[in-house]
Every structure is written in C-alpha cells, then in structure tokens.
Amino acid sequence: MSASAAEGPHLHTAPQTDPGLVLTGERTIPGLAEENYWFRRHEVVYHRLAPRCAGRRVLEAGCGEGYGADLIAGVAAEVVAVDYDAATVAHVRTRYPRVGIRHGNLAALPLPDAAVDVVVNFQVIEHLWDQPGFIAECARVLRPGGLLLISTPNRITFSPGRDTPINPFHTRELHAAELTALLTDGGFTMESMNGLFHGAALRALDARHGGSIIDAQVARAVADAPWPAALLADVTAVGVDDFAMIEAGTDPAHPIDESLDLIAIAVRP
C-alpha cells in the first residue's frame, strides 16, 4: 500500500503544481485551491505536534508529498522519511533536500532496531492492510521512551453509517477506542487521545454552506461541476488556525467521538 498523507473524498480532478505527482485521492498536495481545506486539515497536526520532534531523530512513516516531513525537519535533529511509491520518493528527494527519503514498505521499515526517537504517521494507517504489523514495526524502530504520533480520520464522522470506508483508498478506518486498543495491544502506553474539530471560523463556514463545508465540497466533486465562486473562496481561505485540537475528556462540548480526525500520542515503554 502506498504510504501517503491523504484524506477526504478527493473526487475532483484539479490542476497541480508538480507534474510528477498525480492527485489521485490517496494523498493531498499543497498549492491547489480546491484541495486547500484537506491540506490545511492535515497540515495543522504537523504544526501542533512538531514541538514533540524538536532535537530528535524522527521517522515519518508514509510521507506522501513531503511537506510535513520538511516542516518537521525545521526543528528535528534529523528526519528520515519512508514511502512505498517510487514517484513520491523521487519527488521528495528533489523538492525537500533536508529530508532523508527512503523507498520502503511500512510493513517492513528499512531501519534497524531502536533507530529513532519519534515515529510520525499522519493520515496513513487507514490505508494499511496490516495495521497491527505496522504498529509492531514502529515499536521495533523506536528507542525506549520514544513517541509514536498518529493521526487518522475518525470513522464515526468520516464514514458514518457505512460498513466500508467512503474513501476507496482506505482499508480500515478507526474510532478512538479502536485506535487506543490497536496501540495498547501493540505494547504502547497512551499519553493522550485528541480530536480535531472545526474552530469558530470553520463553524461559520459550515453554517454558510448548508450546514457542512465538507458536504458542500463533496457535492461539487460528485457532480463534477464547477465550484461556486463563494465556496472556492471560502475553501481557499482556510488556514491551520481554523482547526482546534482538543484532548479527549477535557471539554464536554467536544466529545472525542464527534471529532473529525483522531490524533494519538503513544509512548514505547
């Protein structure tokens, strides 16, 4: 399975900045107006968790386009990235020279035991067939006390009422209790489970676009129709500060099962 940083239905086809990477729906790409909501929804997690990588040797397992690995490289001692897709690896090697990119399978990470201090895996685990095997690999390459940082769409809100994921590139989506069990069964200790929510500005956009700016985007994609100017302008204006990351159990107004995405921080004993 290609290891990528991608979510959302992504059913539209849009112009892109790099002809070597195709917007297939399996990863998100910076610099596309129609893709900006999903890109910022991913990017915010890198911004919020980058301080946990400061001064450390970091592996991004499934780097996709590479923008997140490069962001982390601004604070980390070293960043090694692994992706299964050869075109992606070539793109990252050219565009982000401070990222040490390697071609490899997340089911058999091309690193020795206890090689890194942090493993980052954002919007990838839902793409993998062998999720427990991947978690075991993370435990293997992490040093004792190392951190595993994972984000993934909350299946309760991302594919509501469905037996199979709405995104055809996903194999198994998780809710908070399932992600917690996956990590603890794999030998990790949970530090925190967090949810990503729309902040005030995005809630205002939800109201402006019939109750959900996400649904408004999906409707245009499914219809393969031109985007209304107001919708495109609002999507283009979304930034990382428009999202709120809230730890489970700390805010009754934001229960974890109503979050958009899950962000887990776990420790290798």
Side-chain angles (χ1 to χ4, degrees):
M1 186 65 219
S2 173
S4 58
E7 291 319 319
H10 300 311
L11 300 176
H12 62 270
T13 300
Q16 62 186 60
T17 56
D18 188 325
L21 289 182
V22 178
L23 184 61
T24 64
E26 197 172 10
R27 62 176 164 246
T28 191
I29 297 174
L32 304 180
E34 295 88 345
E35 186 74 2
N36 185 61
Y37 168 85
W38 299 104
F39 172 68
R40 300 302 181 189
R41 181 164 152 180
H42 299 173
E43 185 188 27
V44 62
V45 183
Y46 287 99
H47 279 277
R48 301 291 168 82
L49 295 187
R52 305 302 300 267
C53 301
R56 297 184 171 187
R57 188 166 195 246
V58 179
L59 164 67
E60 181 163 24
C63 64
E65 194 274 343
Y67 67 88
D70 186 64
L71 187 155
I72 292 170
V75 300
E78 180 183 3
V79 175
V80 177
V82 173
D83 203 278
Y84 188 71
D85 181 69
T88 295
V89 171
H91 167 83
V92 173
R93 182 171 291 124
T94 299
R95 184 165 184 177
Y96 303 112
R98 62 182 178 176
V99 175
I101 182 69
R102 302 183 187 183
H103 182 263
N105 194 319
L106 301 195
L109 292 168
L111 278 80
D113 296 354
V116 296
D117 304 302
V118 182
V119 173
V120 170
N121 182 250
F122 293 161
Q123 307 294 337
V124 173
I125 197 166
E126 66 277 2
H127 295 258
L128 304 181
W129 290 101
D130 184 6
Q131 293 174 348
F134 168 66
I135 296 301
E137 276 293 275
C138 292
R140 181 185 66 79
V141 302
L142 276 168
R143 296 173 182 139
L147 294 178
L148 174 56
L149 311 178
I150 289 184
S151 75
T152 189
N154 176 9
R155 75 173 179 88
I156 294 174
T157 58
F158 196 81
S159 298
R162 292 176 59 98
D163 293 329
T164 57
I166 190 171
N167 188 317
F169 294 102
H170 293 182
T171 60
R172 181 195 176 206
E173 294 171 356
L174 303 160
H175 59 54
E178 291 167 334
L179 179 55
T180 297
L182 180 67
L183 293 170
T184 56
D185 289 350
F188 283 86
T189 300
M190 293 298 298
E191 178 180 308
S192 68
M193 179 66 69
N194 307 271
L196 194 71
F197 297 86
H198 282 178
L202 274 168
R203 291 196 301 272
L205 293 185
D206 284 332
R208 186 184 304 171
H209 295 282
S212 172
I213 194 170
I214 297 172
D215 290 347
Q217 294 175 79
V218 173
R220 305 321 301 169
V222 170
D224 194 23
W227 284 50
L231 175 61
L232 185 58
D234 284 343
V235 167
T236 303
V238 172
V240 295
D241 291 336
D242 295 327
F243 295 90
M245 180 175 152
I246 299 173
E247 184 174 354
T250 63
D251 183 353
H254 293 88
I256 192 68
D257 285 342
E258 294 181 9
S259 65
L260 299 168
D261 296 327
L262 305 170
I263 304 104
I265 302 175
V267 180
R268 181 198 185 280

